[in-house]
Amino acid sequence: MNNEWPLWEIFIRGQHGLSHRHVGSLHAPDAEMAIKNARDVYTRRNEGVSIWVVEAKHIAATAPGDKGPLYEPSESKVYRHPTFFDIPDEVGSM
Amino acid sequence: MYAQMVKTASSGVKSREEMSEQERVFQDKIDADIKIEPRDWMPDDYRATLVRQIGQHAHSEVVGQLPEGNWITRAPTLERKAILLAKVQDEAGHGLYLYSAAETLGVSRDQLIEDLLAGRMKYSSIFNYPTLNWADMGAVGWLVDGAAIINQVALQRTSYGPYSRAMVRICKEESFHARQGYHIMMKMAAGSVAQKQMAQDALNRLWFPVLMMFGPSDKDSVHTAQSMAWKIKMDTNDELRQKFVDQTVQQIEYLGLELPEPGIKWNDETGEYDYSDPDWSEFFNVIKGNGPGNVDRMKARRAAWDDGEWVRDGLMAHARKKAAAKVAAE
């Protein structure tokens, strides 16, 4: 039987109330050990206040080839940005 | 460096005409400084060379714990002990970041470790030199980590995304390592005559082995062109070595120590320091496995792997049992 510990992806919430952010990966036999190891590896210098761990095999991802169909359509929709609209200065802040 | 003499898997740099369409798209991304990510298409040779380079880099971080781990129990004060412990723990983390980066290329960490233990992969030549006394802890942190920083700062811009991100993280922690080492040297250089002599001796002994970390001279370095075109090597060995010498001389002078060898002289024409070449036959001999510490280092790594097997297996068995019980209960 292959006894290599599975791979976990580690997400940490930083000090300032931001979302959890992917910081790296590590191997661990189970979730509990993954959290303990993540604490040792990724928060030794006060980098975080909360840890999520997810076994890497459970993450679904887009393929690099999907880039065109997925993201190009939004390139032509500049009106989705507030700067598209010219509002006169007299109107005040908006 | 921490990765020395990495054999580039390539038959030479291809011209655009010789490249396939996929290879051209790939090279264009690299030239435009767009990172290559794990699931992007990449040439087999790029992947193979990166696995070798990142793997060797990872092995160096882990083996590099041994010469310093040797002194944790003998640090002169509790504070120095805590600092050294933190540094050595960082090195384990650096090894982990790099193994993780290598794994994104489709190789398993256990496989890389087995390749090291079987002698199919290498680690940096510097860690085959012994650390004889406490002054060596100063010199290693200052010079070895200092040399590593020069290489790793450049590698933050490398083309492979996971490798680049690992370098960013490592560089942040590495300057703590260099500073704590220099701080030890400052203390000893300002201490008793005997302490100052120890500091001088450590500098003299480690100087050439540290220069060797950057790998052979450019004229003997056969792997450079393709690795530079792929941006997995950012500067040549001699460029990095020169940078190291130029920044270190000033640091030696501040300590009030003698320069470690008489060839170091300011050159007005080049605007850089001249220095003597290390004995390259010694370097190749250490790489071949005949350095003063090669046998002990590999013995320690094999013992750690073999003696730890029951722990790895036991924790895995426990995790499987718990997972099965949870399924049964649901």
Side-chain angles (χ1 to χ4, degrees):
Chain A
M1 188 179 283
N2 176 17
N3 270 344
E4 179 159 9
W5 291 352
L7 190 68
W8 298 75
E9 299 302 331
I10 312 302
F11 302 80
I12 306 262
R13 185 202 299 285
Q15 302 280 4
H16 308 294
L18 301 174
S19 309
H20 285 74
R21 194 167 150 255
H22 183 244
V23 292
S25 356
L26 52 77
H27 287 269
D30 56 27
E32 189 188 338
M33 285 299 294
I35 287 175
K36 287 194 165 116
N37 290 348
R39 177 255 181 202
D40 282 348
V41 180
Y42 292 110
T43 66
R44 288 203 306 285
R45 292 181 173 84
N46 296 321
E47 289 95 335
V49 294
S50 165
I51 300 172
W52 286 352
V53 300
V54 183
E55 204 177 329
K57 69 175 183 198
H58 294 311
I59 291 181
T62 57
D66 297 339
K67 222 163 103 186
L70 286 179
Y71 311 119
E72 272 167 24
S74 73
E75 281 172 18
S76 58
K77 297 176 178 58
V78 285
Y79 47 80
R80 287 183 173 169
H81 297 278
T83 46
F84 178 76
F85 305 94
D86 269 335
I87 303 290
D89 289 346
E90 298 91 287
V91 178
S93 76
M94 181 178 280
Chain B
M1 195 27 53
Y2 277 21
Q4 296 159 321
M5 295 191 69
V6 174
K7 197 171 166 313
T8 305
S10 152
S11 37
V13 183
K14 284 186 185 173
S15 68
R16 283 192 77 77
E17 293 71 44
E18 291 168 312
M19 288 180 188
S20 68
E21 182 52 32
Q22 267 179 322
E23 286 172 323
R24 265 195 294 270
V25 171
F26 172 81
Q27 190 62 49
D28 286 345
K29 273 166 106 175
I30 288 183
D31 294 342
D33 285 329
I34 297 170
K35 299 282 183 229
I36 307 300
E37 295 296 342
R39 298 177 70 192
D40 291 341
W41 183 88
M42 61 186 86
D44 290 344
D45 287 348
Y46 174 84
R47 185 186 299 273
T49 307
L50 269 177
V51 167
R52 269 185 220 146
Q53 180 171 330
I54 302 173
Q56 194 185 113
H57 199 155
H59 296 325
S60 297
E61 300 285 355
V62 174
V63 177
Q65 293 178 99
L66 296 169
E68 292 182 304
N70 185 35
W71 281 90
I72 291 173
T73 54
R74 285 172 283 173
T77 67
L78 188 57
E79 187 184 56
R80 291 285 180 200
K81 183 176 179 160
I83 292 169
L84 186 60
L85 201 56
K87 180 196 189 281
V88 173
Q89 190 188 15
D90 275 356
E91 305 298 358
H94 295 181
L96 171 67
Y97 309 153
L98 286 159
Y99 283 125
S100 297
E103 284 180 282
T104 63
L105 293 159
V107 59
S108 85
R109 185 173 73 182
D110 283 11
Q111 185 57 51
L112 289 171
I113 292 172
E114 275 157 25
D115 283 347
L116 172 72
L117 299 184
R120 289 186 294 267
M121 287 186 87
K122 303 214 178 299
Y123 55 88
S124 175
S125 57
I126 189 70
F127 301 119
N128 290 312
Y129 290 85
T131 45
L132 304 179
N133 56 47
W134 182 252
D136 285 13
M137 292 302 94
V140 165
W142 168 36
L143 299 171
V144 174
D145 290 72
I149 289 170
I150 288 185
N151 183 50
Q152 291 171 163
V153 164
L155 279 174
Q156 291 181 100
R157 292 178 286 117
T158 190
S159 60
Y160 188 56
Y163 193 25
S164 158
R165 291 190 284 275
M167 285 298 116
V168 170
R169 182 172 283 279
I170 286 175
C171 283
K172 271 191 207 155
E173 300 180 348
E174 204 87 71
S175 44
F176 148 56
H177 300 176
R179 281 166 172 238
Q180 66 85 34
Y182 194 69
H183 197 256
I184 292 174
M185 294 302 273
M186 279 166 52
K187 227 18 183 208
M188 295 195 77
S192 67
V193 174
Q195 284 170 327
K196 189 170 182 182
Q197 187 48 47
M198 279 172 75
Q200 182 71 56
D201 166 69
L203 166 61
N204 294 355
R205 243 179 322 105
L206 284 163
W207 178 255
F208 283 120
V210 167
L211 290 192
M212 292 176 198
M213 287 175 68
F214 296 94
S217 165
D218 292 350
K219 59 184 190 303
D220 303 316
S221 189
V222 285
H223 312 304
T224 298
Q226 178 64 76
S227 284
M228 288 187 84
W230 280 335
K231 293 192 186 167
I232 55 183
K233 186 169 183 153
M234 307 303 292
D235 303 273
T236 72
N237 296 349
D238 285 337
E239 283 165 0
L240 292 170
R241 192 168 11 246
Q242 183 69 54
K243 208 170 173 184
F244 173 77
V245 172
D246 289 342
Q247 82 171 36
T248 306
V249 168
Q250 188 187 351
Q251 297 165 358
I252 296 171
E253 283 167 353
Y254 180 84
L255 291 173
L257 297 179
E258 304 289 327
L259 294 174
E261 58 100 359
I264 302 176
K265 283 198 185 86
W266 177 253
N267 183 329
D268 256 335
E269 257 167 60
T270 59
E272 297 168 332
Y273 283 95
D274 292 336
Y275 59 91
S276 309
D277 265 339
D279 174 1
W280 289 115
S281 64
E282 177 183 319
F283 170 74
F284 289 112
N285 202 33
V286 173
I287 291 273
K288 266 191 221 126
N290 304 321
N294 298 59
V295 173
D296 284 349
R297 300 292 186 239
M298 288 307 290
K299 216 162 92 185
R301 286 305 302 136
R302 273 192 208 101
W305 185 244
D306 293 344
D307 296 350
E309 190 179 6
W310 69 273
V311 179
R312 296 194 300 276
D313 290 355
L315 284 172
M316 203 58 230
H318 175 68
R320 285 198 185 102
K321 205 168 84 179
K322 258 195 344 194
K326 197 177 164 211
V327 170
E330 272 163 9

